[in-house]
Every structure is written in structure tokens, then in C-alpha cells.
Amino acid sequence: MLGLAKRVGARFLLTSTSEVYGDPLQHPQVETYWGNVNPIGVRSCYDEGKRVAETLTMDYHRGAGIEVRIARIFNTYGPRMCIDDGRVVSNFVAQALRKEPMTVYGDGKQTRSFQYVSDLVEGLVRLMESEHIGPFNLGNPGEFTMLQLAEVVQETIDPKARIEFKPNTEDDPHMRKPDITKAKEQLGWEPTVSLRKGLPMMVSDFRQRIFGEQKAFSA
């Protein structure tokens, strides 16, 4: 894609990730933080893959003069996500709708920040239309533990939804929260949709697709 952008003179957008920060020793995370990543861990193919993608993007910018923009995207949710993609919000929502226990790994005290998809799209558009390269953190600074997220899902779907604890995965980051000062100042962007406002819109979509699919299979 970088080669194509070079040939046709296109502006190139890299959708990087908060995972470049690994299991951060700095909280919240700012764009100047280099991260704390295990290069041979079970998560390293994703973490290091995105880190080298940023490296290549900046090399093409410096060496070939192509226009580039880099966004570091934090956890994002919303309608039309894959129902069984393994991401925590879609996991919890699908499990609660199916009357299955919500799976919490470890003690549930690890934190994440969740942004609604429309906020992310607005941030990406503003980045591409700006004259700033980045990287920019694009995420919602509202921070929730996994147990707090499960409680919001219970409030939204079923107060009686159960929680099931399982052993934590290796190299799971303990904390994740973006510092979005740079995006506020240079892009005039910040998220506007809170988790409690955005989650019901996702739940409505999931409910329609899950139970719509079940009706189709039973017909």
C-alpha cells in the first residue's frame, strides 16, 4: 500500500493501535511514550506488526516524500461488528443476549477505554483533512475495568446476566487509557458518545442479528 501511495501520489492513512504501547508503564498513554512490549510474547505478532507498520510508514515519508497520517486507535465498538470476533464488548453483549455467562479473564480489574465508532470515524476524517502527520491517539478517555464494563452490559441488557471468571491471558495489558490532548489541540477532536449512550445502539443491532439469524435457521 505504501508503494501504491508512492506511485500514484496518494495520502496514506495508517490505522495503528493502542497496542503499540504494550503493557504500559505510563498512564495515561501519550504519543511520545515508546511503550513496553514483549517482542516474543503471544500478543507480539499484533503489537510488533503495528509498530513496524508505523516504522515503514515514517520511512516512506522521510525517504520517498509520501504524505502519511498515523492514528493509534483505542478500543472501538458499535453496530455491525462481527458478533463472535473475540473483542471484549462484542463478547459481553453477545453472551448476555444469549443468556450465557460473560467471560472475564483474570480478576477483571484491568482497564480499557471504549470509543463509539462514529467518534472514531470523525477523528480519522479530521486527521486525513489536516496537515498533521501524527501519530494521534484516537480513543475515549473514559476508563472502565472489565467488571465495570460487565456491569454496564448488565444494566443495558439483563441485570441478572452472570459473570464467569477464567485465567487471564499472557501479556494482557493492565491499563489502557489515551491522552488525547494532541488530538484536541491539533485536530479539534474529542469523542462525544459515552459508553452508556453508545452501548444500547450496539445492543439493538446485535439483538436483531442474533435472534434474526436464529429465526432463519429454525424456519
Side-chain angles (χ1 to χ4, degrees), residues 134-162:
F136 286 94
N137 288 337
L138 295 182
N140 192 318
E143 188 178 15
F144 293 82
T145 67
M146 295 302 95
L147 285 176
Q148 288 171 333
L149 172 63
E151 288 167 5
V152 176
V153 173
Q154 286 173 323
E155 291 171 19
T156 308
I157 298 174
D158 179 5
K160 296 179 181 177
R162 292 176 295 125

Side-chain angles (χ1 to χ4, degrees), residues 119-133:
D119 283 332
L120 171 61
V121 171
E122 175 67 21
L124 292 174
V125 170
R126 290 192 184 207
L127 172 56
M128 283 299 278
E129 291 178 346
S130 78
E131 297 306 312
H132 301 289
I133 294 170

Side-chain angles (χ1 to χ4, degrees), residues 172-197:
D172 187 36
H174 292 90
M175 299 179 294
R176 183 75 83 233
K177 177 182 178 178
D179 183 313
I180 60 169
T181 304
K182 186 176 176 182
K184 281 183 180 179
E185 292 177 350
Q186 297 186 14
L187 305 179
W189 174 88
E190 63 181 309
T192 60
V193 182
S194 68
L195 181 62
R196 283 182 168 83
K197 182 180 175 185

Side-chain angles (χ1 to χ4, degrees), residues 3-211:
L4 177 62
K6 178 183 176 183
R7 286 196 299 275
V8 302
R11 179 174 291 182
F12 179 85
L13 171 66
L14 176 66
T15 50
S16 188
T17 172
S18 59
E19 293 293 328
V20 299
Y21 300 123
D23 188 6
L25 304 176
Q26 177 177 315
H27 194 75
Q29 294 81 58
V30 296
E31 290 87 350
T32 51
Y33 177 53
W34 289 357
N36 177 43
V37 175
N38 175 2
I40 58 170
V42 294
R43 301 169 66 95
S44 62
C45 58
Y46 183 64
D47 298 5
E48 298 288 25
K50 289 289 192 176
R51 286 162 70 96
V52 77
E54 291 193 13
T55 300
L56 289 168
T57 299
M58 290 306 297
D59 281 346
Y60 265 76
H61 169 66
R62 287 186 289 254
I66 75 166
E67 280 195 80
V68 300
R69 303 289 183 268
I70 300 174
R72 290 177 179 164
I73 299 172
F74 285 66
N75 289 59
T76 306
Y77 69 96
R80 297 203 290 268
M81 289 181 75
C82 291
I83 290 170
D84 296 307
D85 65 4
R87 297 168 188 267
V88 66
V89 183
S90 42
N91 269 4
F92 282 4
V93 169
Q95 288 170 333
L97 286 170
R98 291 167 173 158
K99 305 294 184 185
E100 299 169 356
M102 291 183 284
T103 307
V104 171
Y105 294 94
D107 59 11
K109 293 180 181 176
Q110 62 271 47
T111 69
R112 298 292 184 272
S113 303
F114 303 101
Q115 73 176 332
Y116 192 67
V117 61
S118 60
D119 283 332
L120 171 61
V121 171
E122 175 67 21
L124 292 174
V125 170
R126 290 192 184 207
L127 172 56
M128 283 299 278
E129 291 178 346
S130 78
E131 297 306 312
H132 301 289
I133 294 170
F136 286 94
N137 288 337
L138 295 182
N140 192 318
E143 188 178 15
F144 293 82
T145 67
M146 295 302 95
L147 285 176
Q148 288 171 333
L149 172 63
E151 288 167 5
V152 176
V153 173
Q154 286 173 323
E155 291 171 19
T156 308
I157 298 174
D158 179 5
K160 296 179 181 177
R162 292 176 295 125
I163 296 173
E164 180 179 79
F165 290 89
K166 290 190 175 181
N168 204 359
T169 53
E170 191 179 331
D171 293 333
D172 187 36
H174 292 90
M175 299 179 294
R176 183 75 83 233
K177 177 182 178 178
D179 183 313
I180 60 169
T181 304
K182 186 176 176 182
K184 281 183 180 179
E185 292 177 350
Q186 297 186 14
L187 305 179
W189 174 88
E190 63 181 309
T192 60
V193 182
S194 68
L195 181 62
R196 283 182 168 83
K197 182 180 175 185
L199 193 65
M201 293 186 276
M202 177 178 174
V203 168
S204 176
D205 169 71
F206 268 44
R207 180 177 280 119
Q208 184 176 0
R209 286 193 287 148
I210 289 172
F211 298 115

